[in-house]
């Protein structure tokens, strides 16, 4: 399940590289001269639709006071990729988005101390409420897992139990912290005109801890978010003390909230 290249680290194999279902849905693009070009040569330049969404996202994230310094860094250094898909919460997107997350994982096997992120944008549906978005987010995660579990085991460095403090969503054998954006988000920093899922490699947070930078970044984000939104984000939690699953949708869930997602063992029907 892995390929080895001379003088390079082992890079994860993309099991969907030749899957036509995945290629029909794939939308993996990188910034190039203020627009976007597909990382996959056969797809060529990005269309106007993805460039428009990117411009709006970039204006928001790089706008004055936006609290997420990791996202700002990734955009400023072009250490991000973006894709545009159909309906959030649909199995029709799962092969294409899995394919693109595998490509992302291949491309960013090594990335130093930079922040890297994959931004998955969706055309539909119209989001009706925070609860509606949350339901669609977890349904999309379930659909991704249904594809991924046939190829990869769960990242052994993170928990597969959504109630555990070390939980992280795993795809392609690597943990990802997922951030949802949508029009009805109660937090200003999570509010965007169409549904978006942002995938951040979980190991980035471990590296920050190892370098003694995590607490400093956490305090900075909280201070910026308080200034940006007028109050501290109630869903922010200390790393490892409660499940990050509670933060994915951005809604302030209750203390007795139960994650609707559960892991199915690799290869099981």
């Amino acid at each position: 399940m892995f390929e080895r290249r001379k003088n390079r680290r082992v890079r994860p194999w993309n099991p969907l590289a030749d899957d036509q279902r995945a290629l029909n849905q794939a939308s993996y693009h990188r910034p190039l001269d203020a627009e976007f070009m597909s990382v996959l040569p056969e797809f060529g330049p990005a269309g106007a639709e993805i460039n428009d969404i990117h411009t709006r996202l970039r204006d928001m994230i790089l706008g004055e006071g936006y609290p997420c310094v990791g996202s700002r860094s990734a955009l400023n250094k072009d250490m991000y990729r973006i894709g545009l898909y159909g309906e959030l919460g649909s199995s029709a997107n799962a092969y294409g988005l899995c394919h693109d997350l595998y490509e992302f994982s291949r491309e960013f096997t090594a990335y130093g101390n930079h922040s890297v992120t994959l931004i998955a944008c969706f055309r539909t549906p119209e989001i009706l409420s925070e609860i509606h978005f949350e339901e669609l987010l977890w349904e999309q995660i379930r659909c991704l897992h249904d594809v991924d579990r046939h190829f990869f085991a769960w990242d052994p460095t993170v928990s597969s139990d959504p109630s555990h403090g070390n939980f992280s969503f795993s795809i392609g054998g690597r943990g990802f912290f997922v951030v949802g954006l949508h029009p009805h988000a109660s937090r200003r920093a999570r509010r965007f005109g169409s549904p978006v899922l942002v995938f951040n490699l979980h190991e980035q947070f471990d590296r920050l801890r190892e370098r003694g930078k995590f607490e400093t970044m956490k305090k900075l984000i909280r201070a910026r978010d308080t200034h940006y939104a007028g109050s501290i984000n109630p869903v922010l939690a200390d790393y490892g003390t409660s499940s990050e699953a509670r933060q994915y949708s951005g809604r302030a869930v209750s203390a007795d909230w139960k994650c609707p997602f559960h892991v199915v063992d690799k290869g099981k029907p």
Side-chain angles (χ1 to χ4, degrees):
M1 292 177 62
F2 296 86
E3 63 179 43
R4 187 178 297 278
R5 299 185 180 185
K6 188 176 181 180
N7 299 324
R8 295 188 184 181
R9 294 177 60 184
V10 175
R11 307 181 79 189
W13 165 60
N14 187 341
L16 298 175
D18 299 314
D19 188 303
Q20 199 57 51
R21 292 169 299 181
L23 294 176
N24 288 343
Q25 303 162 10
S27 177
Y28 187 60
H29 296 84
R30 64 180 173 86
L32 181 68
D33 297 331
E35 292 192 342
F36 274 85
M37 176 68 71
S38 174
V39 176
L40 307 174
E42 60 268 32
F43 290 100
E49 189 177 10
I50 195 170
N51 280 306
D52 174 66
I53 291 175
H54 166 256
T55 298
R56 290 188 286 117
L57 273 168
R58 190 175 180 86
D59 287 348
M60 180 180 79
I61 294 171
L62 297 183
E64 183 178 356
Y66 192 79
C68 185
V69 292
S71 296
R72 291 172 67 91
S73 175
L75 265 66
N76 275 320
K77 298 182 186 311
D78 288 347
M79 298 292 285
Y80 66 104
R81 300 295 179 259
I82 191 168
L84 179 61
Y85 309 92
E87 182 180 359
L88 177 66
S90 169
S91 60
N93 297 314
Y95 281 90
L97 184 47
C98 275
H99 171 281
D100 294 347
L101 283 161
Y102 297 153
E103 287 298 314
F104 179 80
S105 195
R106 285 164 60 91
E107 188 176 2
F108 291 104
T109 301
Y111 50 89
N113 293 323
H114 297 293
S115 295
V116 297
T117 190
L118 185 142
I119 305 170
C121 309
F122 297 84
R123 293 184 176 92
T124 58
E126 178 184 355
I127 302 301
L128 304 178
S129 66
E130 283 196 297
I131 293 287
H132 182 217
F133 176 78
E134 185 177 334
E135 291 171 348
L136 295 174
L137 178 151
W138 286 110
E139 180 61 18
Q140 190 67 66
I141 284 178
R142 184 193 66 77
C143 292
L144 293 173
H145 178 58
D146 280 349
V147 174
D148 182 69
R149 67 187 178 84
H150 294 291
F151 305 110
F152 292 96
W154 203 263
D155 181 347
T157 68
V158 299
S159 174
S160 61
D161 178 359
S163 67
H164 193 279
N166 193 40
F167 169 80
S168 192
F169 178 57
S170 175
I171 191 160
R174 297 173 85 179
F176 284 87
F177 182 95
V178 183
V179 175
L181 310 176
H182 64 96
H184 295 287
S186 55
R187 299 299 298 183
R188 181 184 172 194
R190 295 284 194 111
R191 207 172 295 149
F192 188 68
S194 54
V196 173
L197 300 183
V198 181
F199 292 84
N200 300 296
L201 283 167
H202 184 272
E203 63 205 47
Q204 294 176 116
F205 305 109
D206 293 329
R207 291 188 182 191
L208 285 170
R209 266 211 189 270
E210 291 168 2
R211 294 165 53 213
K213 304 263 186 198
F214 182 82
E215 290 300 318
T216 300
M217 178 174 279
K218 182 180 69 177
K219 289 176 182 178
L220 176 60
I221 291 173
R222 285 178 170 175
R224 289 175 63 91
D225 195 36
T226 300
H227 180 75
Y228 189 73
S231 62
I232 193 168
N233 188 346
V235 306
L236 289 179
D238 290 333
Y239 177 86
T241 60
S242 67
S243 172
E244 67 180 47
R246 300 174 62 86
Q247 302 182 45
Y248 283 8
S249 76
R251 184 174 71 90
V253 298
S254 62
D256 61 353
W257 177 82
K258 302 294 184 185
C259 180
F261 170 73
H262 68 277
V263 172
V264 179
D265 290 341
K266 181 176 182 286
K268 282 192 175 180

